[in-house]
Amino acid sequence: MKKFFNIIPGNGSCCLLLYGEIGGEVRSGDVMRELLEAEHAYGRIDVRINSVGGEVYPGIAIFNALRQSKADIHIYIDGIAASMASVIALCGKPVEMSRYARLMIHNVRGGCWGTKEDMASCIKELDALEGILCQMYASRLGKSEAEIRETYFDGKEHWLSAQEALDQGFIDGIYDVDETVAPSPTGKMTAEEIYATFNNRLLMEPQKEKKMALLDELKKNPKFKDCASEEAALQIVAQLTQTAASAETVAAENATLKAENQAFKDKEAQAFVALKKKMLDDAEKCGKINAVTRPAFAALLESDYEKGKKALEELAATKRVIEDLHDDPSKESAWDKRKAAIQAAYDERSRQY
């Protein structure tokens, strides 16, 4: 029986075809065995996908084999990557897609026969599998499992063009093919038409290979020297960007705190100046100092506040009696009040006699 999955050798690299149904023509055991053989002979392996999907667990095994491979894995979606095949495509470094191809995601499907307990168990298993697939998609797209489940596991089939897949983060680039694909009578290619168009293709190199000049340049920096792919370099760039953003946030917060601290210091300094002025004003008012001696005590307060404060406190008040009696010239003085009281007492005694 002719195998749909095989190795096509190249110059310094080889091509592995995943053309067929996962678990059917494309068997996880074959993929693992031929992948290990290819790793010993080639540094780069191009994996080309044209599959309507298939069984979940064999697909997960193929996904893990490709993701853990020591080789430089490049994945190309030639025709269709539907269902489980779309999951396998996630582990490419990078993933490119023909502009004529399609990627499709939907809920896990399955069936069972038996009691209601058997069916409940089947539903539970289907839900668990969807959770696993959500995690795999989420890791690629940088989203949460809940976001993936809500967007793509809503009971509908989600057919994505190459541009849509690129915009949503499933792939890294789009390549063109040489041949012209006949348009569908409906104006939109169906899954069967896509599969039929690309099923007989063995190897089609993209017109534009990804240029590695940027990666080579980045590797000159010690932070990027161990990067085996552009994806790994981009992850480091993302980490550095996040660190820079965090540093900017901290710097902004630090600047705000410094400004608030300076405002507090300015306010405190103003209050201290006002306090020393009040001390001098009170001392001069009660006769402890005068206009001549005030500058000396002001200088002492500036140079040594505690010593100046103590010196002012130890001075004896020499305020004149007339100043006590005339605290406020606009009002009746204490002496006037006293005189009025004496006069009133005298008048009262005079009336009694």
Side-chain angles (χ1 to χ4, degrees):
M1 180 178 178
K2 183 179 178 181
K3 292 190 295 184
F4 286 76
F5 178 85
N6 48 60
I7 297 179
I8 300 176
N11 185 18
S13 65
C14 70
C15 177
L16 300 182
L17 296 182
L18 276 77
Y19 272 41
E21 185 176 350
I22 309 300
E25 298 91 351
V26 179
R27 295 185 292 271
S28 59
D30 293 338
V31 175
M32 175 61 82
R33 181 173 54 256
E34 297 195 35
L35 181 62
L36 291 174
E37 292 176 359
E39 284 182 0
H40 292 294
Y42 304 97
R44 169 172 167 167
I45 302 175
D46 293 336
V47 179
R48 311 198 75 96
I49 297 177
N50 185 38
S51 173
V52 293
E55 298 180 23
V56 175
Y57 286 117
I60 292 176
I62 294 173
F63 173 89
N64 287 326
L66 293 173
R67 186 178 61 173
Q68 297 171 8
S69 174
K70 297 178 181 179
D72 185 12
I73 301 293
H74 288 229
I75 289 184
Y76 299 96
I77 301 174
D78 291 333
I80 184 172
S83 190
M84 197 59 212
S86 70
V87 178
I88 293 174
L90 300 177
C91 58
K93 311 168 187 176
V95 183
E96 294 189 19
M97 184 172 174
S98 165
R99 61 190 176 101
Y100 302 111
R102 291 293 185 273
L103 187 145
M104 190 272 279
I105 307 168
H106 64 171
N107 291 78
V108 177
R109 295 173 179 173
C112 65
W113 181 90
T115 65
K116 60 182 180 181
E117 287 78 14
D118 294 330
M119 295 182 182
S121 177
C122 180
I123 293 174
K124 184 177 180 181
E125 179 63 17
L126 290 176
D127 189 62
L129 285 176
E130 284 189 357
I132 292 173
L133 298 184
C134 283
Q135 293 175 17
M136 298 165 81
Y137 284 119
S139 177
R140 167 73 190 189
L141 302 183
K143 297 183 178 180
S144 67
E145 181 181 338
E147 289 176 311
I148 297 298
R149 187 182 290 272
E150 180 181 358
T151 304
Y152 301 106
F153 289 80
D154 55 356
K156 302 176 184 178
E157 290 186 348
H158 295 269
W159 290 86
L160 306 181
S161 66
Q163 188 60 53
E164 290 170 334
L166 179 63
D167 293 341
Q168 296 179 35
F170 288 94
I171 64 174
D172 301 301
I174 301 172
Y175 70 89
D176 297 333
V177 293
D178 291 331
E179 70 270 21
T180 300
V181 180
S184 168
T186 61
K188 187 175 183 179
M189 295 183 71
T190 64
E192 291 77 11
E193 290 170 335
I194 296 171
Y195 192 77
T197 300
F198 290 91
N199 193 46
N200 294 325
R201 291 179 60 198
L202 295 179
L203 179 62
M204 179 66 70
E205 290 295 333
Q207 291 180 353
K208 295 181 180 180
E209 292 289 345
K210 270 197 174 293
K211 296 181 179 180
M212 301 302 290
L214 177 60
L215 180 58
D216 293 338
E217 189 67 25
L218 287 175
K219 282 186 175 181
K220 295 177 182 179
N221 188 300
K223 288 183 178 293
F224 297 89
K225 64 182 180 64
D226 296 326
C227 293
S229 65
E230 289 185 359
E231 184 181 34
L234 288 174
Q235 289 177 353
I236 295 177
V237 172
Q239 292 171 0
L240 293 174
T241 302
Q242 184 175 4
T243 301
S246 299
E248 290 177 358
T249 301
V250 172
E253 292 176 352
N254 188 39
T256 301
L257 291 174
K258 283 184 176 180
E260 292 176 350
N261 185 48
Q262 186 60 46
F264 176 79
K265 287 182 177 180
D266 292 343
K267 186 176 180 180
E268 190 177 49
Q270 292 173 2
F272 191 43
V273 169
L275 175 63
K276 289 184 288 186
K277 182 178 182 301
K278 186 177 185 305
M279 291 176 64
L280 293 169
D281 290 343
D282 291 344
E284 188 172 355
K285 185 177 180 181
C286 69
K288 290 185 176 182
I289 61 175
N290 54 36
V292 177
T293 58
R294 177 171 178 145
F297 282 97
L300 182 58
L301 285 174
E302 288 295 329
S303 61
D304 192 331
Y305 172 76
E306 293 298 331
K307 184 181 291 186
K309 178 182 177 184
K310 185 177 180 181
L312 287 173
E313 290 174 347
E314 292 177 349
L315 289 174
T318 60
K319 189 175 182 181
R320 297 188 301 274
V321 174
I322 192 62
E323 292 174 335
D324 290 333
L325 297 178
H326 296 280
D327 289 332
D328 189 349
S330 64
K331 297 181 181 179
E332 184 181 18
S333 68
W335 175 239
D336 290 337
K337 291 179 181 180
R338 180 60 179 161
K339 288 193 298 181
I342 295 172
Q343 185 63 46
Y346 175 80
D347 292 344
E348 180 65 25
R349 284 195 299 268
S350 296
R351 286 194 294 271
Q352 291 177 358
Y353 290 108

